[in-house]
Amino acid sequence: MGGVVVIGAGVGGCYTAFRLAVGSREVTLYASGHRVGGRIWSVPVRGGGWAELGAMRLNTEAAPVMALLKHLGLAGALVPFSFGRPENVVRTRGVLLRQRDFAHPTRIPYRLGKRERGSNADELTLLAVESVVPGFGRLREEYHRAVREGRDADAASVRARYRSAHGAALVQGEPLVEVSWPRVLASALSPEALRLVADTDGYDLHPGGAAAWIDVLFRTPPRARYVTLSCGMEALPRALHTRFEEAGGRTRRGRRLCRIDRAGGTGGTYELTFAVEDQAGRDTGRRERVRARTVVLALPQGALRRIETGPGVFGPSWAEDLEAVEPVRAAKLFLAYDEPWWRACGLRAGRSTTDLGLRQVWYEPGGASRLLLAAYPTGPSASLWDRFGTGPALGEPASGAMFDGGPPATAAAVAHAHRLLCRMHGVQAPPPVAACWQDWGRHPHSGAWHVWRTGRDTERVAARMRAPSPGGSLHVVSDCWTEDPGSVPGALGCAEQVLQAHLGLSPPPWSS
Ligand SMILES: Cc1cc2nc3c(=O)[nH]c(=O)nc-3n(C[C@H](O)[C@H](O)[C@H](O)COP(=O)(O)OP(=O)(O)OC[C@H]3O[C@@H](n4cnc5c(N)ncnc54)[C@H](O)[C@@H]3O)c2cc1C
């Protein structure tokens, strides 16, 4: 009862548990399922490399994460992560372009306005933001230069100037905070430019709030350098979990929190009810009850929604705050081939985009030379794959052997994806030999990541979510309600805020 109970063994829960245990607290980590890592899931590929079913890259400017990786002895495993490349494909409106073709407006099958011509999806997006928050591009450049050079006071001053421009921004007379992201794009771009962004950005336009999304763009460095872990991204939560147990922490796997009550109806103690799961993650019907004074719910929105609560657990704004963010669906389909046929098209790394249902194609991701991240649909595009949801999987048990422990894809989904890949690249490639499919919109998940809805005071909601239980020590650690939703830095940043502001920990020694 005197210790801390942390629920959820994703990177946020593992980090919180590790920090508390190293700080000599008695901690028990409860994990539904039997895998550590949550939305970081690295499936080993036979012959080397990883299929990253969840998070796959980190931005090197995320200093706390880089410092943590160094502290954990993982910095040596960081390798460059390739993103856009001039030779990569943009296949849209039936035309096969290379990214470098955007410099030649006549090749682009969209009737763009004069100031839009020559711009790709990223550049058009920035054009739209600039028209709403004048000076955005310059301020972003200045801010990130100051961050890179360690000039903290300058960075804070540029950020304040940006905040003031952002606070004053109006879209067709309405404050930015009340306007959705698609509306900002529609207000600033011609219909054809908007279509180009929607078709070729790779990610479906999300319906979230413009103000919070422009903040995310501001915090993303202009020419971001991305890295990944050559030993798989899951090495991060695993290393945290190992250190947690080495520091005396205890893990209870196969325990899904299903109910929270205020014990005895009063005081600062919680009674937690767990459903006991079997190895396959099925509810055995057994229930386990635990009492704790300090509880950390390291869970995303969907998981929190599913927990029943007794009276007085959460304050009056809980229900509204919980719904302040909106889940974004995403799925990943990996295909393995006997030969990397895409190399003959001059493609070896990074991503291509398309208006076809694949949306994004990544070449040889995770260091696996015969692998494609063949489809990465998000939002409404992910739903287009629902029709392939059931049926026989491709080549089992071969697919199981190629992707060690990865969820299989149905043969129909694989055949469809392969057809689209051939169309996209203008080739007749031999069929794939194995496949792996993960849909983060399906049970037990409710979304891959989240975006803030319009009209929310993000800072106030985030602060309330970190301490949502009046008079008690119950906290939410999650990337969902942060300034970096949908990211590992968001989850870790939120954990640090809870640890320092509510659980009495000092900043970690490796961060100085
Ligand atoms: C497809 C995809 C791509 C992404 N790409 C990137 C990227 O490139 N870079 C990046 O930084 N971020 C990326 N992200 C986001 C990143 O993965 C998340 O922000 C981060 O992993 C969130 O960690 P978390 O611990 O907060 O939550 P989660 O990882 O969701 O962990 C929650 C844990 O709680 C468990 N759980 C759920 N319900 C219960 C319950 N009732 N009781 C007990 N346990 C429970 C879950 O099983 C899970 O283990 C991506 C995510 C996805 C899905």
Side-chain angles (χ1 to χ4, degrees), residues 452-465:
W452 286 93
R453 293 183 199 270
T454 49
R456 310 299 159 137
D457 183 338
T458 58
E459 276 177 35
R460 290 179 76 171
V461 173
R464 286 199 296 259
M465 286 304 285

Side-chain angles (χ1 to χ4, degrees), residues 4-31:
V4 182
V5 164
V6 177
I7 295 143
V11 71
C14 290
Y15 181 78
T16 307
F18 150 75
R19 286 271 282 130
L20 288 165
V22 169
S24 303
R25 304 283 182 88
E26 188 194 319
V27 188
T28 310
L29 175 65
Y30 286 84

Side-chain angles (χ1 to χ4, degrees), residues 14-375:
C14 290
Y15 181 78
T16 307
F18 150 75
R19 286 271 282 130
L20 288 165
V22 169
S24 303
R25 304 283 182 88
E26 188 194 319
V27 188
T28 310
L29 175 65
Y30 286 84
S32 76
H34 294 264
R35 187 180 61 82
V36 161
R39 280 175 282 154
I40 304 181
W41 187 359
S42 311
V43 172
V45 180
R46 195 176 62 212
W50 306 89
E52 297 288 5
L53 304 188
M56 60 181 172
R57 62 189 154 115
L58 295 165
N59 155 11
T60 52
E61 234 181 63
V65 186
M66 294 301 128
L68 174 65
L69 290 169
K70 191 168 170 203
H71 174 74
L72 295 171
L74 288 170
L78 285 173
V79 289
F81 176 91
S82 223
F83 203 89
R85 290 175 158 229
E87 69 275 17
N88 285 3
V89 164
V90 179
R91 166 86 184 204
T92 186
R93 291 188 167 172
V95 179
L96 199 165
L97 303 163
R98 301 282 174 157
Q99 284 182 10
R100 57 175 171 251
D101 288 337
F102 281 90
H104 307 280
T106 51
R107 296 186 195 163
I108 310 301
Y110 293 81
R111 288 184 312 281
L112 300 181
K114 201 165 164 200
R115 65 188 185 105
E116 297 166 341
R117 259 177 240 146
S119 300
N120 62 22
D122 283 350
E123 290 156 347
L124 288 169
T125 300
L126 290 179
L127 199 69
V129 174
E130 190 71 38
S131 76
V132 173
V133 183
F136 175 88
R138 185 177 36 80
L139 289 168
R140 185 167 81 136
E141 284 280 355
E142 276 180 42
Y143 172 76
H144 288 282
R145 194 172 324 119
V147 169
R148 268 197 314 278
E149 293 169 5
R151 291 182 285 112
D152 295 349
D154 289 345
S157 137
V158 181
R159 193 179 150 102
R161 272 157 55 210
Y162 160 72
R163 296 266 14 127
S164 136
H166 182 274
L170 297 175
V171 180
Q172 294 160 336
E174 268 191 79
L176 186 58
V177 71
E178 298 297 340
V179 174
S180 74
W181 173 237
R183 219 184 112 196
V184 161
L185 293 178
S187 74
L189 300 177
S190 67
E192 279 284 279
L194 179 60
R195 205 55 256 163
L196 188 154
V197 172
D199 290 345
T200 67
D201 181 68
Y203 295 93
D204 281 19
L205 277 185
H206 69 72
W213 188 248
I214 290 174
D215 281 347
V216 170
L217 297 179
F218 182 77
R219 273 190 305 281
T220 307
R223 285 160 299 282
R225 268 205 320 119
Y226 290 101
V227 286
T228 190
L229 285 169
S230 59
C231 48
M233 289 286 286
E234 205 179 288
L236 170 58
R238 281 202 198 192
L240 291 168
H241 184 250
T242 303
R243 298 275 185 115
F244 158 68
E245 292 198 325
E246 283 168 0
R250 214 164 62 101
T251 311
R252 303 277 290 140
R253 294 182 194 245
R255 300 290 182 282
R256 186 175 51 78
L257 180 67
C258 51
R259 188 175 171 88
I260 312 175
D261 288 284
R262 239 36 222 245
T266 56
T269 304
Y270 299 93
E271 183 174 90
L272 309 171
T273 306
F274 292 91
V276 180
E277 299 173 328
D278 64 14
Q279 280 295 329
R282 285 181 302 249
D283 189 346
T284 59
R286 272 176 51 217
R287 296 291 177 262
E288 225 174 72
R289 287 193 176 73
V290 173
R291 288 196 171 198
R293 275 196 197 288
T294 305
V295 176
V296 176
L297 303 173
L299 304 172
Q301 183 196 47
L304 290 170
R305 270 188 195 146
R306 285 189 286 271
I307 297 170
E308 291 175 16
T309 47
V313 172
F314 293 120
S317 57
W318 169 254
E320 201 182 328
D321 290 346
L322 190 63
E323 300 307 324
V325 296
E326 171 153 4
V328 176
R329 187 172 175 186
K332 285 187 175 179
L333 172 66
F334 287 88
L335 297 182
Y337 288 85
D338 275 335
E339 292 298 330
W341 53 261
W342 47 90
R343 289 190 184 180
C345 310
L347 302 160
R348 293 186 76 108
R351 76 164 189 165
S352 292
T353 63
T354 177
D355 58 353
L356 299 172
L358 307 169
R359 304 299 277 124
Q360 302 185 40
V361 177
W362 292 75
Y363 307 96
E364 306 179 31
S369 60
R370 294 191 295 127
L371 193 66
L372 285 183
L373 170 46

